[in-house]
Amino acid sequence: MVRIGYTMMTEQAGPRELVGHVVRAEEVGFDFSVTSDHYFPWLRAQGHSPYAWSVLGAAAQATSRIPLMTYVTCPTFRYHPAVVAQKAATVQLLSEGRFRLGLGSGENLNEHVVGGGWPSVDVRHEMLQEAVEIIRALFEGGHVNHRGTHFDVESARLWDVPDSPPPIGIAVSGERSCKLAGEHADLLIATEPKQGLLESFDRHGGSGKPRVGQLPVSYDPDRDTAIKRAHAQFRWFGSGWKVNSELPHPDSFEAATQFVTPDDVAESIPCGDDPDAFVAAVRPYAEAGFTEIALVQIGGETQPAFLDWSEKTLLPALREALGGS
């Protein structure tokens, strides 16, 4: 059973629109939803970046069934982990237990805004591990004092604690992050259908835990239009995490992707309205062992049409091919 999810991508739509989109995603039958947590869009053409946690609070009230999840929050720079714990506990209460807290080591693009520089990936992983330990301690409901390598917590306590704390997911891209996720996460998060990531996760304690993937798609009845839009807004996607985590500004992504062509994008992102092409793009995630796959429809203004098409065509095709719910 593969669950198919919907992405509220904060980089490409305003806050009210995002809430409306996830309401419709619930109506058409998506199994879960995720939201990005950015300060900047990847490229200027995307044009948005509202505060994800306000959007989540509104979405929790506007929906009744669809699960919510950050994909992902960095709990180490813009946000102190004690504040992330409070936000996550509150959204879990507002959503009546439908929230999962997806965490990652962050991108320079979003975290540079508070100053302090951008450390090496090893340091970022150390910070993430310490942050997860703090968040879990606060979820238990008692007072927490912590003197750590990277964070201090002074007699903190969450006064509104859900009966069931939000499950914690950790984003992975290599062996070190897989080890961190296997040892400290309730689920794995990844944006590439690499079976080796899941195998490493299992070796480090992740066996039997959910694993959530994500895939950009560009629906449009006119395939050329879909390709053009994907190139304008998503040509950064294929650069790989080692590049994407380091660049500090949308203009940096513009420069880094200036030689990426529309044909390059069309080779890696399904474009158009042929459901078989979308199924073929999703299938490697299912075959690698992902239990959940969140789709990102490119283009904020295209969400209503994509959601209508998903209800009538895409979701039935995916579930027939992959055995979804």
Side-chain angles (χ1 to χ4, degrees):
M1 297 287 288
V2 176
R3 300 173 73 225
I4 305 298
Y6 173 79
T7 300
M8 290 186 285
M9 192 167 189
T10 60
E11 302 95 289
Q12 64 179 16
R16 293 182 65 85
E17 290 75 19
L18 289 164
V19 174
H21 297 160
V22 77
V23 168
R24 180 63 178 140
E26 179 178 74
E27 291 173 351
V28 308
F30 277 92
D31 297 314
F32 68 101
S33 69
V34 304
T35 184
S36 55
D37 185 355
H38 270 234
Y39 203 91
F40 277 84
W42 298 96
L43 296 170
R44 288 179 180 270
Q46 292 177 314
H48 293 274
S49 202
Y51 184 54
W53 290 88
S54 296
V55 173
L56 283 165
Q61 293 298 284
T63 59
S64 61
R65 176 193 62 81
I66 194 167
L68 307 168
M69 178 180 177
T70 50
Y71 203 101
V72 295
T73 288
C74 175
T76 54
F77 291 93
R78 276 183 299 151
Y79 310 136
H80 189 284
V83 176
V84 173
Q86 184 188 34
K87 294 191 291 190
T90 299
V91 173
Q92 180 74 325
L93 289 166
L94 285 170
S95 65
E96 299 182 295
R98 290 183 283 134
F99 180 65
R100 294 182 292 179
L101 176 60
L103 301 175
S105 58
E107 303 102 14
N108 196 4
L109 175 70
N110 302 300
E111 309 309 322
H112 78 271
V113 297
V114 296
W118 187 239
S120 69
V121 66
D122 288 343
V123 172
R124 301 199 305 266
H125 284 148
E126 288 177 7
M127 296 175 74
L128 178 58
Q129 179 174 332
E130 189 175 338
V132 171
E133 292 168 356
I134 291 167
I135 291 166
R136 285 202 184 279
L138 285 164
F139 281 168
E140 293 177 2
H143 283 87
V144 173
N145 289 283
H146 176 88
R147 295 287 180 272
T149 303
H150 302 286
F151 302 104
D152 292 337
V153 180
E154 187 72 38
S155 190
R157 177 188 171 188
L158 301 183
W159 288 86
D160 291 276
V161 183
D163 292 335
S164 297
I168 293 176
I170 291 180
V172 305
S173 59
E175 181 67 22
R176 177 68 182 86
S177 54
C178 286
K179 183 175 187 295
L180 179 62
E183 294 175 351
H184 295 278
D186 302 306
L187 57 136
L188 171 144
I189 294 166
T191 57
E192 296 178 283
K194 293 182 177 179
Q195 188 172 353
L197 294 175
L198 308 190
E199 293 171 348
S200 178
F201 178 58
D202 289 345
R203 286 196 304 272
H204 294 294
S207 181
K209 297 177 182 178
R211 52 276 330 262
V212 186
Q214 189 180 54
L215 172 71
V217 300
S218 186
Y219 162 76
D220 198 282
D222 182 87
R223 187 168 185 270
D224 289 339
T225 298
I227 293 171
K228 182 178 180 180
R229 184 173 61 244
H231 179 259
Q233 297 193 27
F234 248 80
R235 63 183 181 274
W236 56 272
F237 190 76
S239 299
W241 207 249
K242 289 184 178 180
V243 174
N244 290 344
S245 64
E246 300 294 337
L247 298 178
H249 193 274
D251 292 346
S252 306
F253 284 87
E254 296 280 356
T257 60
Q258 61 182 311
F259 299 116
V260 176
T261 69
D263 287 343
D264 294 331
V265 172
E267 288 180 3
S268 60
I269 295 175
C271 297
D273 64 352
D274 179 2
D276 291 341
F278 286 66
V279 169
V282 171
R283 191 181 299 278
Y285 287 85
E287 292 178 344
F290 285 85
T291 55
E292 305 175 44
I293 304 154
L295 304 181
V296 187
Q297 165 65 7
I298 299 170
E301 75 286 354
T302 70
Q303 302 303 308
F306 168 73
L307 288 163
D308 288 347
W309 180 70
S310 295
E311 180 178 28
K312 297 173 183 176
T313 303
L314 181 58
L315 288 175
L318 287 169
R319 286 166 179 153
E320 180 180 0
L322 305 175
S325 60

